[in-house]
Amino acid sequence: MEKILILDFGGQYNQLIARRVRSEHVYAEIKPYNRISVDEIKKEGYKGIVFTGGPHSVYDPASPHYDPSILNAGIPILGICYGDQLIAFMENGIVSSADNSSEYGKTTVNLSDNALFRNVPETNICWMSHSDFIKTPPASFKIIAYTDKCPCAAMYDEKRSIYGVQFHPEVTHTEHGTQMLRNFVFDICGCCGDWKMDDFIDQSIDKYRKQLEGKKVILALSGGVDSSVAAVLIHKAVGDNLTCVFVDHGMLRKDEGNLVEQTFSSKFGINLIRVNAEDRFLSKLAGVTEPEKKRKIIGEEFIRVFEEEASKLGKIHVLVQGTIYPDVIESGSGDSAVIKSHHNVGGLPENIMFDELIEPLRSLFKDEVREIGTRLGIPHELVWRQPFPGPGLAVRIIGEITKEKLDTLREADAIFREEISKSGQEVLPSQYFAVLTDMRSVGVMGDARTYGKTIVLRAVKTDDFMTAEWARLPFDVLERASNRITNEVKGISRVVYDITSKPPATVEWE
Ligand code: XMP
């Protein structure tokens, strides 16, 4: 399979570069610059390499540098921003820093006639984000773009097929940026676009059918997109040798447990063990009010329940996990690679021995996992499920968790979600839910005074959940949700809407 290497120098758009390339049906993988040598790159047979941007200056002693022999490896290269400056630096060009040459934001760039800019207008708006700039390109390079401030906004070495651009073609603010990446991948690297989702599905099924033949396989199913897709994919490969354990900790949303059970048991015919462990979790959580303690208890108990179920099944050879690419990408900006840990309940159980760990979605981004889920026939509401924290409603109930509070929150949350989906909004918030506070306030119902609890409605817009904006929901949606919650949910006398962004608040209340 043809593939492109994204050599990571710590830039913020690196995942985006890989996604853009993959959306052209060319497989792209990201490697930290210090985790792959020139020899390994040659051995892997990459059709092209992208040097990413990064936060450093090439003259900074701590800045990431790469083995200059890569430029003579006979593989086309595209350097972006820092990657562009690094190429200039490695080949003895002059990279300078001048306050009046830094550019940030949308910038008009004048482009020459060049393979990289095929089908792109001569004058193009590009996204810039740099303070250093290339003053003089290396001797073998020609300038192929400039701006008012930047004499060398792009350069190339025709003989070696090495290109550098100061701007970011991968961000949508660069007009025709996708066309430039397409030109690089197809015309310059000679890829033909053979990475197709259907092939991925067929090849995975085929591979795991052989690899797991006769082995007993187990998977912890949460009902989230990743574990659901992994379950259906592996089931297609091993059939009844797969057992899914669905630990219902009692902190799921309304009807969620039943949806998971019906989908996987009835629709797909997967061996599913649903463990109704609500009482067990609630008794462990009794009297606990501290958020991190709640998380810890739920995480530990989850693993314990899973282990108990697994041990009832006899010898299990293989554990399947729904890890996806953003969970495993290592950061290239430091010497010690940081692997993002699975931010979820039910990490790898330590006390059970499995011969093998299989992560069939390890190379995929979330949108690719969703595409595969759809192709495998998983219902829309599961494939497009909004993120839901592993500890579930436990982090949406302030204070101690009780069965009564869970039921109250489930009702209010279901009403809010229903009103949002009924409102037919074109773009749904990234995450939206209700929170049950332990605050009481005075109300009036009929002629009587009430003293009920307060529900908070929360809806946010975000790309990465690291930062988030509160969603500007239409007032009539909020009004309908509020009316219905105070009328239909016992014990609630007030509904408020959370208008705090992240930071300073977090998405969840606990
Ligand atoms: P915060 O509250 O940190 O949430 O702004 C960011 C995203 O992470 C989810 N989240 C969790 N997911 N276990 C999870 O699996 C957790 O303990 C947890 N806490 C927060 C949250 O729903 C949001 O999508």
Side-chain angles (χ1 to χ4, degrees):
M1 177 180 61
E2 57 185 26
K3 55 184 181 178
I4 296 285
L5 171 65
I6 316 289
L7 206 55
D8 181 359
F9 291 97
Q12 55 181 323
Y13 303 126
N14 302 349
Q15 291 198 20
L16 207 52
I17 305 172
R19 288 169 65 172
R20 294 270 182 268
V21 172
R22 286 192 190 185
S23 62
E24 298 303 320
H25 302 293
V26 175
Y27 184 70
E29 55 191 15
I30 304 173
K31 300 264 182 200
Y33 78 95
N34 53 357
R35 296 291 150 121
I36 185 161
S37 67
V38 175
D39 281 346
E40 285 164 322
I41 291 176
K42 286 189 199 155
K43 227 181 328 164
E44 285 288 329
Y46 293 105
K47 299 278 277 187
I49 306 170
V50 177
F51 286 7
T52 74
H56 292 91
S57 160
V58 286
Y59 294 114
D60 177 352
S63 63
H65 284 191
Y66 202 71
D67 178 349
S69 71
I70 187 72
L71 301 180
N72 298 316
I75 307 170
I77 295 175
L78 172 65
I80 295 176
C81 198
Y82 177 84
D84 174 39
Q85 294 163 8
L86 187 64
I87 293 171
F89 177 81
M90 291 194 293
E91 290 277 285
N92 303 315
I94 301 174
V95 179
S96 278
S97 182
D99 283 349
N100 59 2
S101 291
S102 59
E103 290 169 307
Y104 186 80
K106 290 183 180 177
T107 309
T108 303
V109 182
N110 304 289
L111 309 171
S112 309
D113 183 18
N114 184 277
L116 189 64
F117 304 136
R118 195 175 61 81
N119 291 336
V120 179
E122 251 172 66
T123 309
N124 194 59
I125 302 293
C126 298
W127 184 257
M128 289 282 195
S129 172
H130 69 105
S131 43
D132 284 4
F133 69 104
I134 297 173
K135 195 167 173 190
T136 313
S140 64
F141 282 74
K142 255 201 206 146
I143 294 177
I144 51 171
Y146 65 92
T147 70
D148 285 351
K149 285 187 174 177
C150 189
C152 176
M155 60 178 192
Y156 94 125
D157 175 328
E158 186 174 12
K159 245 182 161 167
R160 293 181 292 174
S161 271
I162 302 174
Y163 294 74
V165 290
Q166 182 56 73
F167 51 84
H168 289 270
E170 70 278 22
V171 304
T172 48
H173 305 304
T174 295
E175 291 172 3
H176 307 281
T178 305
Q179 179 63 41
M180 296 178 199
L181 291 175
R182 224 177 264 149
N183 291 340
F184 177 68
V185 168
F186 294 118
D187 300 349
I188 296 166
C189 301
C191 293
C192 57
D194 62 2
W195 159 254
K196 303 253 161 51
M197 281 304 160
D198 280 339
D199 292 347
F200 177 89
I201 295 174
D202 293 344
Q203 283 161 8
S204 301
I205 294 172
D206 199 43
K207 171 175 146 192
Y208 292 121
R209 188 170 285 150
K210 289 181 192 133
Q211 188 178 335
L212 304 179
E213 197 185 348
K215 295 182 178 166
K216 288 252 173 248
V217 183
I218 196 167
L219 177 144
L221 187 70
S222 68
V225 189
D226 307 340
S227 66
S228 298
V229 173
V232 176
L233 192 66
I234 293 297
H235 180 248
K236 290 212 179 285
V238 307
D240 281 348
N241 277 341
L242 170 70
T243 302
C244 292
V245 177
F246 170 43
V247 178
D248 185 345
H249 51 28
M251 272 146 264
L252 298 174
R253 288 168 293 192
K254 192 175 174 185
D255 297 332
E256 200 158 33
N258 293 341
L259 174 69
V260 171
E261 187 171 350
Q262 273 160 20
T263 305
F264 294 94
S265 221
S266 313
K267 179 172 161 67
F268 288 106
I270 292 177
N271 283 329
L272 177 82
I273 301 174
R274 176 176 178 176
V275 192
N276 291 317
E278 181 182 54
D279 293 346
R280 184 168 166 172
F281 279 83
L282 282 177
S283 72
K284 290 269 171 195
L285 287 165
V288 179
T289 55
E290 214 260 307
E292 278 313 301
K293 204 159 170 209
K294 288 185 192 172
R295 274 198 176 77
K296 199 153 175 265
I297 291 173
I298 295 172
E300 281 172 9
E301 201 56 21
F302 184 95
I303 292 177
R304 215 151 290 143
V305 174
F306 182 71
E307 282 172 349
E308 281 171 25
E309 289 306 316
S311 66
K312 289 182 200 158
L313 297 171
K315 172 74 186 159
I316 301 282
H317 305 97
V318 182
L319 174 73
V320 181
Q321 280 198 319
T323 317
I324 68 170
Y325 201 40
D327 300 326
V328 293
I329 294 175
E330 295 164 306
S331 159
S333 51
D335 275 338
S336 61
V338 183
I339 301 176
K340 287 181 196 157
S341 67
H342 224 132
H343 186 45
N344 226 331
V345 161
L348 186 61
E350 281 164 15
N351 300 334
I352 317 182
M353 295 304 291
F354 300 103
D355 303 337
E356 265 176 89
L357 171 68
I358 301 276
E359 297 175 314
L361 311 177
R362 243 186 111 74
S363 63
L364 302 179
F365 287 111
K366 195 80 167 188
D367 45 354
E368 294 168 331
V369 173
R370 290 205 162 105
E371 192 181 332
I372 287 183
T374 304
R375 282 166 195 258
L376 289 170
I378 299 175
H380 185 269
E381 60 266 46
L382 278 180
V383 169
W384 288 99
R385 195 174 93 139
Q386 51 166 313
F388 186 62
L393 301 183
V395 293
R396 296 177 182 171
I397 291 176
I398 309 301
E400 188 187 6
I401 295 158
T402 62
K403 166 97 174 111
E404 193 193 348
K405 285 185 187 174
L406 281 165
D407 288 340
T408 302
L409 178 56
R410 260 192 277 271
E411 288 306 317
D413 181 70
I415 291 172
F416 183 41
R417 287 188 291 123
E418 199 183 309
E419 287 304 328
I420 288 194
S421 71
K422 274 203 313 213
S423 71
Q425 295 196 64
E426 235 168 68
V427 183
L428 287 174
S430 318
Q431 207 170 355
Y432 47 101
F433 52 86
V435 175
L436 178 64
T437 71
D438 54 359
M439 194 183 75
R440 284 172 181 272
S441 67
V442 175
V444 55
M445 205 167 245
D447 290 329
R449 179 182 180 278
T450 57
Y451 191 49
K453 290 224 172 89
T454 304
I455 280 280
V456 176
L457 303 180
R458 178 90 166 128
V460 295
K461 262 176 40 187
T462 171
D463 287 329
D464 55 11
F465 294 91
M466 311 282 277
T467 60
E469 248 186 89
W470 61 276
R472 272 60 174 172
L473 287 182
F475 282 169
D476 54 345
V477 175
L478 291 169
E479 184 183 23
R480 275 196 298 272
S482 164
N483 280 344
R484 282 192 57 199
I485 291 171
T486 44
N487 275 313
E488 296 172 32
V489 186
K490 213 171 128 238
I492 301 299
S493 58
R494 198 172 287 263
V495 176
V496 299
Y497 188 51
D498 182 350
I499 53 164
T500 334
S501 291
K502 173 183 179 177
T506 50
V507 174
E508 302 291 349
W509 268 48
E510 285 213 333

